[in-house]
Amino acid sequence: MVILNTDFAEAVAVLDERDKVVGVSSTMTGYNRFFPELSTKTDVGGWSTPDIEAILATNPDTVCVYASWPNTEKLDDNMPDDINIVRLDCYKAETQREEMIKLGYLLNKRDRVGDYIDWHDEYVDVINDKVSKILDDNKTRVFIDGGGGNTVGRRAYSTGTGMHDLCVCAGGVNIAEGYIEKYADVETEWVLEQNPDVIVGLSFKGGYETDDNNLMKEHYDEIIALPGFWNVAAVQSGDVHIMSNGFAFAPHYPAALATMAKWLYPETFADLNPEEIHQEYIDTFFGIDFDVSEQGVFEYPQQGS
């Protein structure tokens, strides 16, 4: 296999099929901690702009990519007919379970994927059950912030994004739903008018490969210092949180979902321990020497700080 989708690569690792991988996207070559074996595989270019010659040089049977990227013109049309193209996102909370089952069948790892599904359902079902009992009028209203906008205000996430799915599965109401689609710029004045209960910033600066939380702290500090934001309910109550992109998605997402649920409903999910869930995943399915309480940066501020 050649894998361009990092989240897909994590799913393959969960199913203990790392030895089948012969090439990876450029992004993965820098993930030495999380993918100690896969990061050494042949670099075949960007996840959305692959090097076709480099892919073919690895002599793969299969190329694994996101559902929509790269498009068929960039990949499929340039591949021989005997090379399979498998398109799975492996990063959306709403489809992760189904996609893992499909991949388990494709790789003939049904027992292994069954163990993963048992782990997944143990935590996700608890969250779903408690969320189902929250009345719509009592649900927490959330603004998902992606940093400064390209043209105006702030970058926001809405329907069609993994962050939106995570928010909804945790029982939140994304204030951007119906105002924008996917991700787009919104005016800071609009955020002020909406007065969200919780603000969740998505950062690309944390994850498994760093122990430095300064860049995620900068995102946090930027949000709370925005003009007028001292009047926003989320800022006044201390409910501004930053989540690492490297933590929010992929097969380990039940840990991120538990984190989001505790942010939105701390009393309802007081007994949930996202850090323990995360560590259990690493120890049970990933087999790397990694202590999530001591290594990596997954949220800011950290729970309890």
Side-chain angles (χ1 to χ4, degrees):
M1 292 182 285
V2 164
I3 305 180
L4 300 182
N5 172 352
T6 306
D7 302 316
F8 202 135
E10 183 172 333
V12 168
V14 166
L15 297 181
D16 199 23
E17 290 288 86
R18 296 175 177 91
D19 61 329
K20 302 293 196 303
V21 180
V22 293
V24 297
S25 67
S26 300
T27 303
M28 272 182 271
T29 62
Y31 291 175
N32 302 314
R33 278 182 169 181
F34 197 56
F35 291 130
E37 302 98 342
L38 299 186
S39 62
T40 66
K41 302 297 182 179
T42 300
D43 184 340
V44 297
W47 60 270
S48 64
T49 56
D51 183 333
I52 300 301
E53 291 186 3
I55 291 176
L56 296 177
T58 66
N59 193 31
D61 302 303
T62 303
V63 180
C64 307
V65 296
Y66 289 102
S68 301
W69 313 287
N71 60 37
T72 55
E73 290 79 8
K74 289 182 179 179
L75 182 67
D76 307 47
D77 293 350
N78 297 305
M79 288 289 110
D81 291 340
D82 61 347
I83 295 181
N84 300 306
I85 309 295
V86 179
R87 291 185 174 274
L88 295 173
D89 282 322
C90 297
Y91 73 89
K92 295 180 178 178
E94 289 190 343
T95 56
Q96 184 70 69
R97 188 182 191 278
E98 177 186 349
E99 289 184 333
M100 285 296 292
I101 292 173
K102 288 180 180 178
L103 189 59
Y105 276 89
L106 288 172
L107 297 179
N108 196 27
K109 302 288 286 192
R110 299 178 189 182
D111 290 342
R112 180 74 172 179
V113 81
D115 293 339
Y116 169 82
I117 295 301
D118 288 344
W119 171 83
H120 171 283
D121 290 354
E122 179 181 352
Y123 299 110
V124 174
D125 286 354
V126 167
I127 295 170
N128 287 343
D129 180 62
K130 291 188 175 183
V131 165
S132 69
K133 295 179 172 63
I134 301 172
L135 299 176
D136 287 345
D137 289 346
N138 296 332
K139 287 190 173 181
T140 300
R141 299 174 67 256
V142 184
F143 174 62
I144 306 173
D145 180 275
N150 295 333
T151 56
V152 297
R154 307 299 293 177
R155 197 74 167 165
Y157 291 83
S158 186
T159 49
T161 68
M163 281 303 288
H164 175 80
D165 290 350
L166 198 67
C167 173
V168 171
C169 288
V173 175
N174 184 353
I175 65 170
E177 182 174 358
Y179 188 65
I180 62 168
E181 292 184 1
K182 295 187 177 179
Y183 39 85
D185 294 350
V186 298
E187 306 83 354
T188 52
E189 293 80 7
W190 176 81
V191 181
L192 291 171
E193 292 170 0
Q194 294 297 311
N195 194 28
D197 303 307
V198 173
I199 296 175
V200 176
L202 181 67
S203 172
F204 289 82
K205 304 299 183 182
Y208 293 91
E209 301 301 319
T210 182
D211 300 329
D212 184 358
N213 70 3
N214 284 325
L215 293 175
M216 285 179 62
K217 180 181 183 298
E218 287 178 8
H219 190 169
Y220 173 89
D221 290 342
E222 178 184 336
I223 290 173
I224 64 174
L226 288 168
F229 270 52
W230 56 83
N231 288 319
V232 173
V235 177
Q236 291 187 342
S237 63
D239 287 313
V240 177
H241 308 276
I242 309 299
M243 181 177 286
S244 165
N245 176 72
F247 176 56
F249 314 118
H252 64 257
Y253 91 89
L257 178 62
T259 300
M260 180 79 80
K262 290 202 74 161
W263 287 345
L264 305 190
Y265 305 100
E267 294 183 1
T268 302
F269 293 102
D271 295 336
L272 211 56
N273 190 322
E275 193 172 85
E276 288 185 0
I277 297 171
H278 194 184
Q279 191 64 55
E280 183 180 11
Y281 170 85
I282 294 294
D283 295 342
T284 304
F285 298 106
F286 231 66
I288 59 175
D289 183 13
F290 196 98
D291 185 340
V292 301
S293 67
E294 300 291 337
Q295 298 169 278
V297 180
F298 307 107
E299 59 179 298
Y300 185 90
Q302 287 186 304
Q303 291 280 356
S305 63

